[in-house]
Amino acid sequence: APCIVVDCGTATTFNAVNAAHEYLGGVIAPGIMISAEALFSRAAKLPRVEIKRPDKVIATSTIGAMQSGLYHGYAGLVDGVLSHMIAELGSQPRVIATGGLAHRIAAVDPGPRRGGSRAPAPTAARFPNPRAVRRTAAHQSNQARSDHAATGGHGQERSAT
């Protein structure tokens, strides 16, 4: 089966491999931290915020709105690129999430759809459970640095997966 590897790091890369294990090509997009840094540095009156999944998409505070935009905007980027790549591949590939920030974005529930039915969750359906995300040894060591940077050094301790 074909495969798409999504590496969520400084840049977010999507790499497609066919069933014969041949590299087909990929996509490079800014990572969530680059996006956050651009927001913090270019919009002088906006504070730095922790990148985390907010309780609600529609926020009632500036910090909540920034967290929602960063988190759900990035998830939308991942879902959108994956959807287009899957359409081009013409079959359902295995999708593997890796990188220091994969655990933050790997399972996103898009919420209810019109009429009360639930929309298929493109990211959640293709990525494993965040606790089951397989990371390379290099990415595991980078995770601590990424978490530190994402929380401004005030992150919560996490157990290794």
Side-chain angles (χ1 to χ4, degrees):
C3 177
I4 299 173
V5 177
V6 182
D7 187 345
C8 303
T10 302
T12 299
T13 59
F14 302 77
N15 293 288
V17 177
N18 66 18
H21 305 156
E22 299 166 325
Y23 178 73
L24 299 174
V27 173
I28 301 172
I32 193 169
M33 292 304 299
I34 288 175
S35 298
E37 282 302 318
L39 184 63
F40 304 150
S41 67
R42 303 278 176 141
K45 295 194 180 216
L46 294 179
R48 290 188 175 276
V49 298
E50 178 182 4
I51 298 172
K52 67 177 191 171
R53 183 179 184 170
D55 293 333
K56 299 188 301 184
V57 175
I58 300 171
T60 57
S61 70
T62 300
I63 289 172
M66 291 173 65
Q67 288 174 326
S68 186
L70 287 167
Y71 186 88
H72 292 291
Y74 186 73
L77 172 127
V78 171
D79 285 346
V81 171
L82 280 175
S83 293
H84 289 290
M85 290 180 78
I86 290 166
E88 280 186 36
L89 289 172
S91 64
Q92 181 65 45
R94 179 174 183 195
V95 175
I96 299 169
T98 189
L101 298 171
H103 67 286
R104 291 183 185 271
I105 206 72
V108 174
D109 180 356
R113 228 162 77 173
R114 281 187 228 160
S117 65
R118 294 198 65 78
T123 302
R126 296 187 219 338
F127 280 9
N129 179 297
R131 289 186 189 89
V133 171
R134 293 184 181 159
R135 299 179 189 97
T136 64
H139 286 116
Q140 286 177 344
S141 66
N142 288 334
Q143 180 179 347
R145 286 192 299 261
S146 296
D147 284 344
H148 179 80
T151 62
H154 303 294
Q156 294 183 1
E157 195 171 315
R158 297 186 201 306
S159 61
T161 55

